[in-house]
Amino acid sequence: MPLGSRFRGSTRVSSWKITLPCTKAEAEAVEREESPFAAFENPPVLMSSEPDETKPDEWRLDGYFETAPTPDDIALFRTLAPSAERIEPSIEQLADEDWVTMSQQGLEPIRAGRFFVHTPAHRDAIPADAIALEIDAGRAFGTGQHETTTGCLLAMDRLKEGAISFDNILDLGTGTGLLAFAALKLWPDAKVAASDIDPVSIDVSAENAAINGIPTGTGKGEVELIVAAGMEHPRLAARAPYDLIVANILAGPLIDLAPSVAAALAPGGRLILAGLLNTQAEAVTSAYRRQGLMGSFDIVRGDWTILTMRKRKALGWQ
């Protein structure tokens, strides 16, 4: 199953493919980190996959280029798989392909609690009892395929099962907008903000909001999309305090953001933290405990831990 992709363009083109073996960690890095080709006018589609489930650390990285890759393209692609530095990449020209279809190959729908996250290719497979969200393979992280995104969906689903209600929600580091949309589906009367440091992610989120019929704006039942580097952004500060913050980022930034995130959380508010490996969970938990938060429950998905915490009511906010 491909971990992720970066996609641009939807025309039928004569394309080229570069393939290298890689480790699982390198495949996950392709999903989580910005592509080194991001500044290219026509960046390649990057797809990572696990060819043999009996060999869990032997993965494959494919790069699909619209034109014949140059030596510089090949050298840059090789930086994505340092473990294969002594292996010559496979390079082949492909027949005309539909890039949208190609980018979606192997991206199976994800069922996470009541959520069903799918690409356009699986619109006919939506279960009758599911909350369906369509997120195409694209230029931003958060298609639902990664364990951290799935874990956040499961955490929100569990909070909903506990009859917990939220009125003011923030999806910090939104990527595709998926988690913000999911939150609004669970708590349709809430005000929701979705922020990301990357303007491309906010553009992608706006596109996905339109596809899924998600109202955008600043009122109840709407999602406000904000380009913001941190909690100090005027719009994020003005909307505080939040009674639910979801942050699917990385362990390092989560630790750095602990004081400002905790300060923006309302007394008794809930916090979902993801993007951290199991080995990083203790450090992230400690950072937020020092800010007065208590652990509620954890969800472990493979190598990844999703933390759910609660702010002590006596602390107030700011």
Side-chain angles (χ1 to χ4, degrees):
M1 178 183 69
L3 258 182
S5 66
R6 301 291 195 273
F7 171 77
R8 182 187 178 95
S10 58
T11 59
R12 298 180 68 86
V13 296
S14 180
S15 58
W16 293 71
K17 182 173 77 169
I18 305 179
T19 301
L20 273 174
C22 67
T23 65
K24 180 181 179 181
E26 290 166 346
E28 290 172 342
V30 169
E31 171 71 5
R32 291 211 57 82
E33 298 174 6
E34 183 174 7
S35 167
F37 297 96
F40 284 38
E41 182 178 356
N42 294 302
V45 172
L46 302 179
M47 302 289 289
S48 50
S49 57
E50 183 182 21
D52 187 348
E53 292 184 357
T54 66
K55 300 176 180 178
D57 198 47
E58 295 183 11
W59 286 62
R60 185 181 73 205
L61 180 63
D62 296 313
Y64 294 88
F65 292 75
E66 292 187 13
T67 58
T70 66
D72 287 344
D73 292 335
I74 297 169
L76 192 57
F77 182 79
R78 292 179 68 94
T79 65
L80 298 171
S83 63
E85 62 178 346
R86 297 184 180 181
I87 300 174
E88 284 299 314
S90 167
I91 304 174
E92 59 180 313
Q93 186 174 10
L94 305 176
D96 286 358
E97 296 283 354
D98 183 326
W99 277 61
V100 171
T101 301
M102 185 171 62
S103 73
Q104 295 171 2
Q105 289 178 351
L107 284 179
E108 294 299 319
I110 295 296
R111 187 68 192 259
R114 68 198 75 195
F115 294 107
F116 183 81
V117 185
H118 64 95
T119 66
H122 296 92
R123 288 172 181 163
D124 296 334
I126 300 172
D129 63 340
I131 296 175
L133 289 165
E134 181 176 310
I135 304 293
D136 199 355
R139 297 168 288 165
F141 175 70
T143 62
Q145 297 290 325
H146 198 276
E147 299 290 8
T148 61
T149 311
T150 302
C152 288
L153 292 171
L154 290 170
M156 286 193 289
D157 188 71
R158 183 165 167 180
L159 290 172
K160 180 66 174 181
E161 285 182 352
I164 301 172
S165 180
F166 299 110
D167 298 316
N168 193 17
I169 301 169
L170 170 62
D171 176 15
L172 183 65
T174 191
T176 60
L178 170 60
L179 298 179
F181 305 157
L184 190 62
K185 291 288 186 178
L186 292 178
W187 298 283
D189 294 328
K191 294 190 299 182
V192 181
S195 72
D196 202 287
I197 193 173
D198 184 3
V200 171
S201 290
I202 296 302
D203 290 342
V204 170
S205 295
E207 295 168 6
N208 288 332
I211 290 169
N212 288 280
I214 302 294
T216 56
T218 61
K220 291 184 176 182
E222 297 177 332
V223 175
E224 182 178 6
L225 302 174
I226 304 167
V227 178
M231 296 300 301
E232 291 76 18
H233 187 279
R235 283 301 305 147
L236 296 186
R239 294 179 65 106
Y242 303 93
D243 47 16
L244 173 63
I245 298 177
V246 183
N248 183 14
I249 314 177
L250 289 170
L254 285 175
I255 291 172
D256 293 340
L257 288 167
S260 57
V261 168
L265 198 61
R270 305 297 179 114
L271 181 62
I272 298 173
L273 302 173
L276 49 134
L277 293 165
N278 298 335
T279 54
Q280 299 168 324
E282 184 177 351
V284 175
T285 300
S286 297
Y288 283 84
R289 280 180 177 162
R290 288 194 291 271
Q291 303 302 321
L293 276 78
M294 306 175 293
S296 294
F297 61 87
D298 299 344
I299 294 174
V300 177
R301 304 277 302 180
D303 297 329
W304 304 87
T305 296
I306 295 84
L307 304 174
T308 303
M309 307 188 77
R310 185 177 185 180
K311 185 173 181 178
R312 299 177 190 274
K313 291 185 177 181
L315 292 176
W317 71 285
Q318 293 187 329

